[in-house]
Amino acid sequence: MSRLLVVQNGPGGGPGRFGDWLAEDGLSLEVVHAYAGAPLPRHLAHDGVMVLGGGYLPDDDARAPWLAPTRALVSEALERGAPVFGICLGGQLLAQVAGGTVRGEHGEPEFGSTPLTLRSGAADDPLFRGLPERVTAIEHHVDAVTALPSGVAWLMESEHCPYQAFRVGDRAWGVQFHPEAGADQVRSWEPERLRSRGLDPAELRRRAERDEPAAAAVWREVARRFAAVVRSRAVSR
């Protein structure tokens, strides 16, 4: 069975339904709770790597010392052509490792179910080709990629955050949104924190519940396609 290393950056930031879907499609996930002190491998012995979200910038090594070895693993994966999937912080980390830039508290924050637009660059992408032109995903970020690395494929954007999805090389994807999160995740958010940003927790929940069926079908397909990429890489090693 193909093995995927999963780096978890916070206690509430597990692989969720995306991880369940990948397992259904034949991947064995090794989730490393790096935030809790679990050691990361010095070298990537897996068939791919997925880096999850978290409340840090990708080089916030003072608060999150495991990010340095995580960057090293992603860099090694890029060099070897091993599949990568980065979510939120993980996507920002991929962008930075590949030569892009990330800024904290940049632009307008995005919370809850957010409309995304598929770009023309996705037309031949292994994961994003043929997806609906408009789809939603759960967002929860205040930091953002401000410049993509040179030569990447720019796949998706939103009204307030242009770099929602991109591909580095042939097998490394970063997304700003959370395909692993559904309406249940939105229901767990702290209401007072949301209100402090001028958001209505009840409306965020309603919108997430309304959008979930269509969004889940799309991100389920993306998970299926990424699992196929990882399995193909394992066969060719």
Side-chain angles (χ1 to χ4, degrees), residues 7 72-73 76 129 162 205 210:
V7 182
L73 287 169
E76 180 183 350
R129 64 172 179 257
R205 289 193 295 270
R210 178 199 68 200

PDB file of all heavy atoms in Angstrom, residues 7 72-73 76 129 162 205 210:
ATOM      1  N   VAL A   7       1.832  15.762   8.011  1.00  0.00           N
ATOM      2  CA  VAL A   7       2.346  16.602   9.099  1.00  0.00           C
ATOM      3  C   VAL A   7       1.195  17.421   9.661  1.00  0.00           C
ATOM      4  O   VAL A   7       0.608  18.247   8.971  1.00  0.00           O
ATOM      5  CB  VAL A   7       3.468  17.537   8.605  1.00  0.00           C
ATOM      6  CG1 VAL A   7       4.008  18.373   9.777  1.00  0.00           C
ATOM      7  CG2 VAL A   7       4.588  16.734   7.949  1.00  0.00           C
ATOM      8  N   ALA A  72      12.289  21.067   5.083  1.00  0.00           N
ATOM      9  CA  ALA A  72      13.329  20.217   4.488  1.00  0.00           C
ATOM     10  C   ALA A  72      12.700  19.008   3.790  1.00  0.00           C
ATOM     11  O   ALA A  72      13.139  18.613   2.700  1.00  0.00           O
ATOM     12  CB  ALA A  72      14.314  19.767   5.560  1.00  0.00           C
ATOM     13  N   LEU A  73      11.670  18.427   4.389  1.00  0.00           N
ATOM     14  CA  LEU A  73      11.011  17.276   3.766  1.00  0.00           C
ATOM     15  C   LEU A  73      10.297  17.679   2.476  1.00  0.00           C
ATOM     16  O   LEU A  73      10.343  16.953   1.485  1.00  0.00           O
ATOM     17  CB  LEU A  73      10.013  16.663   4.743  1.00  0.00           C
ATOM     18  CG  LEU A  73      10.608  15.870   5.913  1.00  0.00           C
ATOM     19  CD1 LEU A  73       9.539  15.545   6.934  1.00  0.00           C
ATOM     20  CD2 LEU A  73      11.275  14.593   5.414  1.00  0.00           C
ATOM     21  N   GLU A  76      12.875  18.188  -0.164  1.00  0.00           N
ATOM     22  CA  GLU A  76      13.347  16.893  -0.662  1.00  0.00           C
ATOM     23  C   GLU A  76      12.325  16.269  -1.610  1.00  0.00           C
ATOM     24  O   GLU A  76      12.684  15.710  -2.652  1.00  0.00           O
ATOM     25  CB  GLU A  76      13.615  15.962   0.511  1.00  0.00           C
ATOM     26  CG  GLU A  76      14.116  14.582   0.100  1.00  0.00           C
ATOM     27  CD  GLU A  76      14.315  13.649   1.271  1.00  0.00           C
ATOM     28  OE1 GLU A  76      14.246  14.102   2.437  1.00  0.00           O
ATOM     29  OE2 GLU A  76      14.524  12.444   1.016  1.00  0.00           O
ATOM     30  N   ARG A 129      -8.386  19.765 -13.302  1.00  0.00           N
ATOM     31  CA  ARG A 129      -9.019  19.865 -14.613  1.00  0.00           C
ATOM     32  C   ARG A 129     -10.460  19.361 -14.563  1.00  0.00           C
ATOM     33  O   ARG A 129     -10.771  18.364 -13.901  1.00  0.00           O
ATOM     34  CB  ARG A 129      -8.227  19.090 -15.661  1.00  0.00           C
ATOM     35  CG  ARG A 129      -8.158  17.595 -15.433  1.00  0.00           C
ATOM     36  CD  ARG A 129      -7.523  16.875 -16.618  1.00  0.00           C
ATOM     37  NE  ARG A 129      -7.434  15.441 -16.376  1.00  0.00           N
ATOM     38  CZ  ARG A 129      -6.318  14.818 -16.044  1.00  0.00           C
ATOM     39  NH1 ARG A 129      -5.196  15.506 -15.918  1.00  0.00           N
ATOM     40  NH2 ARG A 129      -6.314  13.514 -15.838  1.00  0.00           N
ATOM     41  N   PRO A 162      -6.011  35.998  -4.178  1.00  0.00           N
ATOM     42  CA  PRO A 162      -5.818  35.462  -5.533  1.00  0.00           C
ATOM     43  C   PRO A 162      -5.234  34.060  -5.579  1.00  0.00           C
ATOM     44  O   PRO A 162      -5.617  33.265  -6.446  1.00  0.00           O
ATOM     45  CB  PRO A 162      -4.868  36.473  -6.178  1.00  0.00           C
ATOM     46  CG  PRO A 162      -4.204  37.180  -5.049  1.00  0.00           C
ATOM     47  CD  PRO A 162      -5.199  37.197  -3.935  1.00  0.00           C
ATOM     48  N   ARG A 205     -22.399  29.227   9.723  1.00  0.00           N
ATOM     49  CA  ARG A 205     -22.829  27.824   9.782  1.00  0.00           C
ATOM     50  C   ARG A 205     -23.865  27.529   8.707  1.00  0.00           C
ATOM     51  O   ARG A 205     -23.793  26.490   8.041  1.00  0.00           O
ATOM     52  CB  ARG A 205     -23.392  27.518  11.173  1.00  0.00           C
ATOM     53  CG  ARG A 205     -22.355  27.478  12.269  1.00  0.00           C
ATOM     54  CD  ARG A 205     -22.920  26.868  13.524  1.00  0.00           C
ATOM     55  NE  ARG A 205     -23.989  27.680  14.104  1.00  0.00           N
ATOM     56  CZ  ARG A 205     -23.807  28.637  15.001  1.00  0.00           C
ATOM     57  NH1 ARG A 205     -22.576  28.923  15.419  1.00  0.00           N
ATOM     58  NH2 ARG A 205     -24.838  29.298  15.502  1.00  0.00           N
ATOM     59  N   ARG A 210     -25.338  24.850   3.671  1.00  0.00           N
ATOM     60  CA  ARG A 210     -25.954  24.961   2.342  1.00  0.00           C
ATOM     61  C   ARG A 210     -25.003  24.505   1.252  1.00  0.00           C
ATOM     62  O   ARG A 210     -25.389  23.816   0.306  1.00  0.00           O
ATOM     63  CB  ARG A 210     -26.364  26.413   2.107  1.00  0.00           C
ATOM     64  CG  ARG A 210     -26.975  26.710   0.741  1.00  0.00           C
ATOM     65  CD  ARG A 210     -26.913  28.197   0.448  1.00  0.00           C
ATOM     66  NE  ARG A 210     -25.541  28.653   0.262  1.00  0.00           N
ATOM     67  CZ  ARG A 210     -25.158  29.929   0.367  1.00  0.00           C
ATOM     68  NH1 ARG A 210     -26.027  30.880   0.687  1.00  0.00           N
ATOM     69  NH2 ARG A 210     -23.890  30.258   0.168  1.00  0.00           N
TER      70      ARG A 210
END
